[in-house]
Amino acid sequence: MVRTFTYSNPSGLPWVVQKFGGTSVGKFLDKIANEVIKEYVKQNRLVVVCSARSGKDKQTGTTNRLIRAANDALKPGSKEYLDIVAALLEDHLAVAVEMIHDDEIRQELEDDIRSDCDKLKSFLEAAQIINEISPRSKDIIIGVGEKLSCRIVAAVLQDRDVDAQFVSLENIIDRDFEKLDQEFYDYLAKKMAHAVEQCGNKVPVVTGFFGIVPGSLLTSVGRGYTDLCAALTAVGLTAEELQIWKEVDGIFTADPRKVKSARLLPIITPEEASELTYYGSEVIHPFTMEQVIRSHIPIRIKNVENPRGQGTIIFPTDIVSKDGTATPPHSPKVLAENGYSLDLSRKYPTAVTIKDHVIVLNVHSNRKSVSHGFFAKIFSTLDRYGVVVDLISTSEVHVSMALGEDNLDKDLDHVIADLRVVGRVDVIKDLAILSLVGKQMKNMVGIAGMMFSTLASAGVNIEMISQGSSEINISCVIDERSSITAMNVIHDQLLSKRGKLVLPSVKLALE
Ligand code: ASP
Ligand code: MG
């Protein structure tokens, strides 16, 4: 039957790429269809990119379940992976029944879901027989999550009268690449744009999973790869905007669940957003920022629960021209003319963030090797265990490193044993990293002093201090138990207009 739809992509208008995360697709699909896509498609050409569905949280989300299934298939004789596949099938079918009213659309969707799950089951059974899952096979397994999710989204949109088309990117890479470099990203961006353009006036619903990348998607890009997929699609189409839809209104001056007076930031630079991502606020996948910013595409974080909200724009305040030279920061007027508002004279840091569950490793040299040998041995040990260090502070004979507890898990004892070769090692647990982030902080003489005296006056003990050379981030390690107090006093005193942030007037003299 040839169906006609009320909503489809208008020709000739600029592209807007909308990325929806797993929890949004899992919980708010009706809203996404009715209040987001149907509204935006009236005035924009849309591309919808989705990740795998999540239920309550990421832990029980589809991708995590698929990873568990892959690991289980490697245990000889274990059949737990079959239960996981059966549960995934059941859950996705239940959504089809619940969400789709049209019999024909639902029937087709159910058949597709069954066929995807059957293939997954055979793939895992084969893996168990040969007792091997290569990183590539693992990628294929997790990719099923995005496929199932996007099939559902496309069908729900059709059911709600939007002419949508499911697009799988699993086979777009048809050349061998050695590594994940800019050449590869440029190639991907073109391929993704091509796949989208094939849809004509249908709204493409694209899998955030994009196939076999050099060194495997999970290891080279890591979790959250859908953000990167959306970004590259936006680049390939020279989209007007990349929208990342979440369940929060945007990026705040502090976590609004912990700091009552936290404010939504209308605009933030990519550097600031990256710092926040590295230090605990899950903003977006870090590779994403670089790709879209190179192409001057603004990223907007929006809330599916509040689609009319302004959201937060991530956009550079000094734009780099096509030949790569930096131009001076755009004036607020130029930004305003382009629909952006930014107070460049902002007299406050931009945001404060906390990363909990941190430990510090202190290594004191036994002075049996010269200083560079001491550092080299420490870093090669960390490299061997794949340990990611968040903060470092050093002297010639001493190194303190703060890192997320989870990145060591069971290896902690081994790492410590290996580090003991170079000196005495002690470990402090139950800590948190507090980071103050702000592009304007470069010009604020005295801000570090204010930050530490504010913490001291609230009785917060500081374990370690670090300020990056970019000066847009000052971080310190504190006791995890005082993290909420610390974030609140810093926010009250340094980020709110009522606060006591009065910097020495020497600042003006230096300018
Ligand atoms: N579903 C994948 C993950 O959980 C990809 C993504 O969400 O971007 O990592
Ligand atoms: Mg994500």
Side-chain angles (χ1 to χ4, degrees):
M1 185 178 88
V2 180
R3 204 177 278 276
T4 55
F5 295 90
T6 313
Y7 301 88
S8 60
N9 257 345
S11 325
L13 291 182
W15 289 100
V16 167
V17 177
Q18 300 188 316
K19 182 257 168 173
F20 298 94
T23 324
S24 299
V25 179
K27 285 196 195 152
F28 303 106
L29 193 44
D30 244 325
K31 261 183 176 294
I32 291 176
N34 292 327
E35 292 171 41
V36 180
I37 294 176
K38 276 192 195 175
E39 285 304 313
Y40 275 91
V41 81
K42 291 177 191 159
Q43 288 174 47
N44 304 278
R45 259 198 296 175
L46 295 186
V47 181
V48 175
V49 183
C50 303
S51 13
R53 292 174 62 87
S54 276
K56 285 195 299 299
D57 52 41
K58 210 168 171 169
Q59 215 37 44
T60 54
T62 304
T63 310
N64 280 330
R65 288 155 87 185
L66 288 165
I67 291 174
R68 244 177 285 135
N71 294 338
D72 182 70
L74 283 182
K75 294 183 197 143
S78 179
K79 292 285 169 238
E80 202 191 312
Y81 71 93
L82 293 176
D83 297 338
I84 299 177
V85 177
L88 283 173
L89 171 66
E90 194 183 317
D91 288 357
H92 285 83
L93 286 178
V95 179
V97 171
E98 187 197 319
M99 301 281 297
I100 315 270
H101 310 125
D102 182 293
D103 288 336
E104 201 183 325
I105 297 175
R106 188 182 54 247
Q107 196 53 56
E108 210 177 297
L109 173 63
E110 287 181 5
D111 291 348
D112 288 338
I113 293 174
R114 280 206 182 85
S115 141
D116 287 343
C117 289
D118 274 349
K119 279 192 215 134
L120 171 65
K121 187 171 153 240
S122 313
F123 196 88
L124 288 165
E125 279 166 346
Q128 187 165 51
I129 291 167
I130 59 168
N131 193 24
E132 190 201 305
I133 293 188
S134 66
R136 275 173 174 242
S137 312
K138 208 164 184 175
D139 283 357
I140 293 170
I141 294 165
I142 55 167
V144 176
E146 275 73 33
K147 244 200 236 174
L148 292 171
S149 168
C150 288
R151 287 200 195 281
I152 290 181
V153 175
V156 167
L157 287 174
Q158 288 168 4
D159 193 63
R160 309 291 191 275
D161 212 10
V162 180
D163 195 2
Q165 184 175 329
F166 167 78
V167 179
S168 169
L169 298 182
E170 65 191 324
N171 294 321
I172 51 163
I173 301 170
D174 57 10
R175 254 176 61 190
D176 271 344
F177 284 88
E178 304 246 296
K179 54 182 190 302
L180 229 74
D181 54 10
Q182 197 52 48
E183 187 196 344
F184 177 63
Y185 285 142
D186 293 343
Y187 164 86
L188 266 181
K190 273 207 198 91
K191 286 282 183 176
M192 288 170 179
H194 181 72
V196 160
E197 275 154 357
Q198 298 305 301
C199 297
N201 284 349
K202 293 178 192 291
V203 176
V205 180
V206 179
T207 58
F209 174 84
F210 49 91
I212 310 296
V213 310
S216 108
L217 193 61
L218 262 189
T219 48
S220 309
V221 177
R223 301 293 301 272
Y225 48 80
T226 300
D227 286 344
L228 181 61
C229 175
L232 292 172
T233 308
V235 170
L237 294 167
T238 37
E240 192 171 60
E241 186 166 287
L242 166 64
Q243 299 178 344
I244 308 271
W245 290 81
K246 294 173 158 281
E247 298 91 51
V248 287
D249 274 322
I251 304 175
F252 285 79
T253 49
D255 184 340
R257 288 166 305 183
K258 295 177 182 157
V259 177
K260 277 216 180 65
S261 52
R263 284 168 284 121
L264 180 70
L265 291 159
I267 185 163
I268 183 171
T269 67
E271 295 83 3
E272 291 170 322
S274 308
E275 295 287 335
L276 292 175
T277 300
Y278 285 121
Y279 294 104
S281 315
E282 197 188 282
V283 181
I284 56 179
H285 192 288
F287 297 178
T288 306
M289 232 101 63
E290 198 192 328
Q291 294 305 315
V292 275
I293 298 312
R294 289 180 88 239
S295 307
H296 307 167
I297 299 171
I299 306 173
R300 195 191 287 266
I301 314 278
K302 299 263 298 174
N303 189 353
V304 277
E305 292 185 85
N306 175 23
R308 292 187 178 277
Q310 272 300 299
T312 297
I313 296 175
I314 307 177
F315 198 62
T317 51
D318 29 336
I319 312 244
V320 175
S321 65
K322 286 235 158 54
D323 60 352
T325 53
T327 59
H330 276 218
S331 69
K333 185 168 163 285
V334 171
L335 285 163
E337 279 164 8
N338 289 290
Y340 302 104
S341 66
L342 174 69
D343 180 8
L344 281 174
S345 64
R346 190 146 65 193
K347 297 210 176 48
Y348 307 90
T350 305
V352 56
T353 183
I354 286 268
K355 176 171 176 167
D356 284 319
H357 310 303
V358 165
I359 62 174
V360 164
L361 294 178
N362 288 312
V363 189
H364 311 268
S365 167
N366 54 17
R367 299 183 185 250
K368 290 209 179 80
S369 54
V370 283
S371 144
H372 52 88
F374 171 61
F375 291 129
K377 281 184 191 136
I378 291 178
F379 291 116
S380 59
T381 302
L382 298 178
D383 187 43
R384 226 175 14 257
Y385 290 96
V387 175
V388 181
V389 176
D390 289 320
L391 292 182
I392 296 190
S393 120
T394 61
S395 69
E396 201 174 330
V397 291
H398 177 121
V399 175
S400 295
M401 295 169 293
L403 36 110
E405 221 171 69
D406 52 350
N407 103 50
L408 277 168
D409 280 348
K410 46 194 180 313
D411 281 340
L412 181 59
D413 294 341
H414 294 125
V415 174
I416 293 174
D418 284 12
L419 287 175
R420 290 224 161 98
V421 176
V422 293
R424 186 161 59 78
V425 182
D426 50 61
V427 186
I428 315 171
K429 296 191 174 168
D430 300 321
L431 301 171
I433 297 175
L434 177 136
S435 304
L436 188 61
V437 172
K439 193 171 173 175
Q440 304 298 103
M441 292 200 314
K442 255 192 228 171
N443 307 322
M444 295 179 186
V445 176
I447 187 74
M450 286 273 317
M451 172 173 168
F452 299 122
S453 56
T454 303
L455 290 173
S457 65
V460 177
N461 183 33
I462 295 164
E463 201 64 50
M464 188 178 144
I465 293 177
S466 153
Q467 174 172 21
S469 58
S470 67
E471 286 188 61
I472 71 165
N473 174 338
I474 309 173
S475 293
C476 62
V477 177
I478 58 175
D479 193 325
E480 193 170 358
R481 277 170 310 184
S482 45
S483 69
I484 296 206
T485 313
M487 189 145 72
N488 274 283
V489 286
I490 292 290
H491 194 269
D492 278 355
Q493 301 300 326
L494 274 66
L495 283 126
S496 96
K497 301 192 168 78
R498 290 175 295 103
K500 295 213 181 75
L501 181 61
V502 182
L503 293 167
S505 55
V506 63
K507 170 182 174 268
L508 295 175
L510 286 177
E511 271 178 347

